[in-house]
Amino acid sequence: MAEAPLCGLQDEFTCSVCLDTLTDPVTILCGHSFCLKCLTDCWDQTQECSCPQCKHTFTTRPELNSNILLNEVIKKLKKMTLSSPPPKNYAGPGDVECDFCTGKKFTAVKSCLTCMASYCQTHLQPHYEGSAWKGHKLVGPDGNLKEKLCVEHQKSLEIFCKTDDSCICMMCVVTGHNGYKMVELETEREDKEKQLGATLRDIKKGLEEREKTLKEMRRAMNEMKVSGIGRQHFTSKRGEI
């Protein structure tokens, strides 16, 4: 019976750097635990040593010692979940992967058209909490973000040039479309949708009118057939007399 609650705590044994189960776990003074290699790599790349999760900064680089108790618990957890299917939040075939996960990729929950990247729930949090990401445009997971980049400048396509009838980036506006007639891409999309809607309504109306005309023709033909049969029957009766 101990297996069920322990499996429910699997996220508690996940390294927030690689987003995988802790390997050779170390616990630092702020209480957070990481893989020894993940934390060592993080600190080797910067002069300031801070917790990757809570950002607590240490004046001197702490000595990293393995958390023996935590390591034993994780080993037991791995044995109990060895035959279990992988978590549903791992990206599978057809899923959009998070661009910032290392190791096993988690499924993206949102794509950012400003950053031109996709994020899992964990890596998406700064977009909701940080002022630097305020105003970024989030959409559903999109696996074709590269198609929304300008081929020449590798910037997001935000403008529609009516003169050239093409989607361009802000760099294109500055370098080659000065004086051209342009609108925001979203505005052009809305206009196109309105035009398409009007066209579809016209087509539907035309089909309804044709259907009405066809029904009237069928009714007239049926009436002519009935009338012809009546006249033939009347002529036949007169001949018998």
Side-chain angles (χ1 to χ4, degrees):
M1 294 297 292
E3 179 177 348
L6 192 59
C7 290
L9 291 173
Q10 187 166 359
D11 287 345
E12 303 298 326
F13 305 124
T14 298
C15 173
S16 61
V17 177
C18 66
L19 297 180
D20 206 345
T21 305
L22 289 164
T23 302
D24 195 8
V26 293
T27 303
I28 52 181
L29 295 177
C30 61
H32 294 119
S33 301
F34 306 91
C35 301
L36 175 61
K37 184 178 185 306
C38 290
L39 190 58
T40 301
D41 289 345
C42 283
W43 286 357
D44 285 345
Q45 296 174 14
T46 178
Q47 295 180 350
E48 182 182 71
C49 295
S50 61
C51 172
Q53 190 164 338
C54 70
K55 306 305 179 185
H56 177 81
T57 303
F58 303 97
T59 54
T60 57
R61 180 164 178 165
E63 182 180 353
L64 300 178
N65 297 312
S66 295
N67 188 324
I68 298 175
L69 177 60
L70 182 57
N71 195 35
E72 289 300 317
V73 171
I74 292 173
K75 285 182 180 179
K76 292 181 180 179
L77 175 64
K78 286 183 176 180
K79 288 181 180 179
M80 287 188 292
T81 59
L82 188 61
S83 59
S84 301
K88 292 183 179 180
N89 53 348
Y90 281 128
D95 291 333
V96 178
E97 297 181 346
C98 174
D99 291 318
F100 290 86
C101 285
T102 57
K104 290 183 179 179
K105 296 282 188 178
F106 277 64
T107 303
V109 296
K110 290 287 183 181
S111 293
C112 178
L113 297 183
T114 307
C115 301
M116 298 307 292
S118 298
Y119 299 87
C120 65
Q121 192 63 56
T122 300
H123 288 118
L124 181 65
Q125 285 307 116
H127 275 76
Y128 294 127
E129 300 171 355
S131 57
W133 289 274
K134 187 177 181 180
H136 282 207
K137 187 172 183 180
L138 297 174
V139 296
D142 191 337
N144 299 311
L145 287 177
K146 289 184 179 179
E147 295 179 4
K148 295 178 174 61
L149 288 177
C150 172
V151 177
E152 183 179 356
H153 302 110
Q154 292 301 300
K155 301 289 184 181
S156 60
L157 299 171
E158 302 177 47
I159 303 295
F160 182 79
C161 178
K162 288 181 172 290
T163 305
D164 285 348
D165 192 28
S166 62
C167 300
I168 59 176
C169 69
M170 293 303 296
M171 189 65 70
C172 291
V173 174
V174 177
T175 58
H177 291 255
N178 187 27
Y180 288 16
K181 187 176 181 180
M182 294 173 285
V183 295
E184 291 186 0
L185 198 58
E186 187 69 16
T187 301
E188 181 65 17
R189 183 186 65 80
E190 293 175 355
D191 289 343
K192 292 294 186 184
E193 287 182 349
K194 290 179 181 178
Q195 293 175 13
L196 179 60
T199 301
L200 290 175
R201 285 192 295 271
D202 290 342
I203 292 174
K204 183 179 179 181
K205 184 178 179 181
L207 290 174
E208 290 174 348
E209 291 177 351
R210 289 186 181 183
E211 183 68 22
K212 183 179 178 181
T213 301
L214 184 59
K215 287 181 179 179
E216 291 176 350
M217 291 177 64
R218 286 174 177 170
R219 184 170 59 251
M221 290 177 66
N222 288 332
E223 290 176 353
M224 290 173 64
K225 288 180 181 179
V226 171
S227 177
I229 293 173
R231 283 198 301 271
Q232 183 179 4
H233 179 71
F234 178 75
T235 303
S236 176
K237 286 293 183 181
R238 288 187 64 182
E240 291 177 0
I241 295 172

